[in-house]
Amino acid sequence: MLTRAYDDKYWPADLLPVRDQLPRVKAVVVFGGEVPDGCLELDALLAESDVVTLHASLTPASTGLLDDRRLRLMKPTAFIVNTSRGPIVGEAAFIDTMKRRAIRRAALDVFNIEPLPKGHPLATLDNVVLSPHLGYASEDNMRQYFIDAVENLEAWLGGNPIRVMGAH
């Protein structure tokens, strides 16, 4: 499995004018197989990055991907952002890392247990920003979800389903 963390062809249109001014790294996470030429292996990426953002599905291969060993590779000035799934980062190792201030800051929108239980150690860390897994829930997104749901239901009831998963 190969997951690209960076690829020129996926730049958002509004960032194209400033693309060359932004820091650039070619990185991939590979579960089995070789890392393509010009890309960094995960350990090298973690050691060199100022900001690490996680965008992955939770699978057996990604569970615990950022464990104590890998967290220790990161710069003390680094930031980590996890908006994918909590268990991708080893929770106990992460809490220890942040308590020791071995990484400067973190932002989490996902946790091993959601909602985060009252009194959880993550809530005591002043160098970690927490949000309740609502990063996607803007007013515009929620409005569109409901519009799509009504359209889908009306089309299905009318015998002409739309947005059918797996349909070509």
Side-chain angles (χ1 to χ4, degrees), residues 3-5 52-57 81-85 88:
T3 303
R4 290 192 178 275
V52 173
T53 65
L54 302 173
H55 310 276
S57 299
V81 179
N82 187 4
T83 59
S84 55
R85 293 292 177 252
I88 291 174

Side-chain angles (χ1 to χ4, degrees), residues 71 74-76 78-80 97-98 101-105 127:
L71 289 168
M74 294 179 68
K75 295 177 180 181
F79 287 68
I80 185 167
T97 297
M98 299 313 292
R101 299 192 179 283
I103 296 172
R104 176 171 287 164
R105 297 255 186 224
N127 55 348

Side-chain angles (χ1 to χ4, degrees), residues 28-90:
V28 295
V29 176
V30 178
F31 300 107
E34 293 185 28
V35 175
D37 289 339
C39 295
L40 298 174
E41 292 189 36
L42 180 58
D43 287 0
L45 172 70
L46 293 171
E48 293 183 23
S49 295
D50 296 308
V51 178
V52 173
T53 65
L54 302 173
H55 310 276
S57 299
L58 185 62
T59 67
S62 69
T63 299
L65 184 67
L66 266 67
D67 57 8
D68 183 63
R69 182 187 70 78
R70 285 198 167 122
L71 289 168
R72 288 177 183 273
L73 296 173
M74 294 179 68
K75 295 177 180 181
T77 55
F79 287 68
I80 185 167
V81 179
N82 187 4
T83 59
S84 55
R85 293 292 177 252
I88 291 174
V89 179

